[in-house]
Amino acid sequence: MASLAPPGTLLGATTPGLRASHTVRHLGPNWYASVMGTSVVGTAGAALPVAVPGLRTLCTTVWALSLAMLLTLLAARAAHWRRHGDQARAHLLDPAVAPFYGCLSMALLAVGGGTLTLGRDWIGLPAAVAVDTVLFTAGTAVGLAAAVAVPYLMVVRHRIEHASPVWLLPVVAPMVSAALGPLLLPHLPEGQARQTLLLACYAGFGISLLATLVMLPLVFGRLVLTGPLPLALTPTLFLVLGPLGQSTTAAQTFADTAAGVLPGPYAHGFAAFAVLYGVPVMGFALLWLALAGAMVLRARRAGMGFAMTWWAFTFPVGTCVTGAEGLARHTGLDAFRWLAVALYALLAAAWLVAGTHTVRGLVSGALLAGPGGAAAVPGPATARTR
């Protein structure tokens, strides 16, 4: 089964220490989820439809943290591929780990979008545009590659027993590009360049949405036919919120930017689509949030301890925050404003909890331990990933 930790890692155990030469051996692509979750705390907070003194400065600080995390992880993952190529190739062939290559794409895109919306305050607009252009281009390329390569490996190389919510990770990456790409439109030449980017983002919307509609029934069918997920994997149910919230956000972004880029009828169509699509999808997202939350509470009562899967509580919820913020703009309803505030409170709490436990796990060495590197006898709050 899949998780947000490398194969064979014990979650929640304590390791006395790790030899430096093995520090990155078991560092998988799942770690990019922490960058995604941190970045969305900043960008979602900055767009909240309420005035909070000092909030933007705080959110910009969180963006800077996400940028530092991204640069650190890129360097560590490069060392992983260079020193432990065998393990890196094994990750690609492992159905529990390969889908997390979608997280690399989304981490690049999330930090790039945050640079343009928040980082511009500190580094200036020209530098922010340059950074976002590079990260958006790289993130989109990686996302499209993952959306093709991971399903291909699932069909021809992986041996899969059950459907998993992590299957959504590689196919939701193009939706993140769709939602964040329009931020670059004002910085492109008028005419063909802007129209091409906007419609390319709309195409990415379609890629991700239709792929999600194919995979989501398999995930729910797995739950109904075989029962709840293992305890450590239960938080991955929150990953379903990703394509729901991000597609709602993308629809709002299209409506914000289409005017002046596309002919009038199409621009008006995007404005209507933002509400006609966003409201029912947000409704389903809230339904899934309630279902996934109930399953997490059940797992917690059964002894679910911390695992890197807890980062699934952050970015997917953050996409619902940005989706609700967009609906508040386009409908003018106070209900969506307060929904965005409530969801952001949930996001901030989840980020603080996941971040605190992750720092503790890094300090103890438990989260980077390989098979056999953790305690021999797991406590009641630990779980194996395989």
Side-chain angles (χ1 to χ4, degrees):
M1 300 300 298
S3 79
L4 282 167
T9 300
L10 271 171
L11 303 173
T14 300
T15 302
L18 291 173
R19 290 181 299 172
S21 60
H22 295 290
T23 299
V24 298
R25 177 165 178 78
H26 301 285
L27 184 72
N30 52 293
W31 280 81
Y32 288 111
S34 63
V35 178
M36 297 157 52
T38 300
S39 180
V40 79
V41 169
T43 52
L48 280 176
V50 292
V52 179
L55 178 60
R56 184 172 179 87
T57 300
L58 179 60
C59 289
T60 306
T61 303
V62 174
W63 159 79
L65 174 61
S66 71
L67 176 60
M69 293 170 62
L70 175 63
L71 295 176
T72 301
L73 269 176
L74 288 173
R77 286 286 295 163
H80 171 81
W81 272 92
R82 186 173 64 254
R83 300 176 187 174
H84 307 289
D86 60 328
Q87 187 77 351
R89 288 186 291 272
H91 283 172
L92 279 172
L93 298 179
D94 190 332
V97 183
F100 289 101
Y101 274 91
C103 292
L104 167 58
S105 166
M106 291 183 280
L108 295 168
L109 292 165
V111 174
T115 303
L116 196 52
T117 57
L118 291 168
R120 62 192 295 175
D121 295 351
W122 289 3
I123 66 175
L125 182 59
V129 171
V131 171
D132 186 33
T133 299
V134 172
L135 293 181
F136 173 78
T137 302
T140 299
V142 171
L144 292 174
V148 174
V150 174
Y152 174 82
L153 290 173
M154 289 169 61
V155 172
V156 303
R157 296 297 299 272
H158 296 165
R159 295 297 176 261
I160 299 172
E161 296 180 3
H162 300 292
S164 169
V166 302
W167 289 5
L168 295 170
L169 288 172
V171 300
V172 77
M175 188 68 78
V176 180
S177 293
L180 296 177
L183 296 177
L184 289 168
L185 289 176
H187 309 287
L188 292 176
E190 294 184 3
Q192 289 276 333
R194 293 185 182 182
Q195 292 177 1
T196 299
L197 178 58
L198 180 57
L199 292 183
C201 290
Y202 192 36
F205 177 96
I207 291 171
S208 184
L209 178 63
L210 296 177
T212 297
L213 293 177
V214 169
M215 292 188 175
L216 186 54
L218 301 177
V219 173
F220 186 70
R222 179 255 186 269
L223 296 175
V224 172
L225 296 177
T226 64
L229 296 174
L231 297 184
L233 306 184
T234 303
T236 63
L237 290 171
F238 273 67
L239 296 177
V240 174
L241 296 175
L244 302 175
Q246 197 70 353
S247 63
T248 302
T249 302
Q252 312 310 308
T253 307
F254 295 153
D256 291 336
T257 56
V261 175
L262 297 177
Y266 300 110
H268 295 153
F270 271 123
F273 180 70
V275 176
L276 296 179
Y277 175 87
V279 172
V281 173
M282 181 58 66
F284 181 70
L286 295 177
L287 171 65
W288 191 272
L289 176 62
L291 173 63
M295 297 295 290
V296 167
L297 291 176
R298 174 187 177 277
R300 185 64 173 165
R301 288 195 300 267
M304 180 187 74
F306 173 71
M308 284 294 285
T309 49
W310 285 30
W311 282 101
F313 298 142
T314 57
F315 188 78
V317 174
T319 66
C320 293
V321 176
T322 55
E325 291 168 346
L327 287 171
R329 290 196 307 273
H330 289 106
T331 64
L333 294 179
D334 290 338
F336 285 117
R337 292 191 180 93
W338 291 113
L339 174 62
V341 171
L343 289 173
Y344 187 77
L346 176 62
L347 167 64
W351 177 69
L352 287 172
V353 172
T356 299
H357 281 283
T358 300
V359 170
R360 289 176 181 173
L362 285 171
V363 171
S364 70
L367 292 180
L368 293 177
V377 181
T382 65
R384 290 190 183 274
T385 63
R386 291 184 70 187

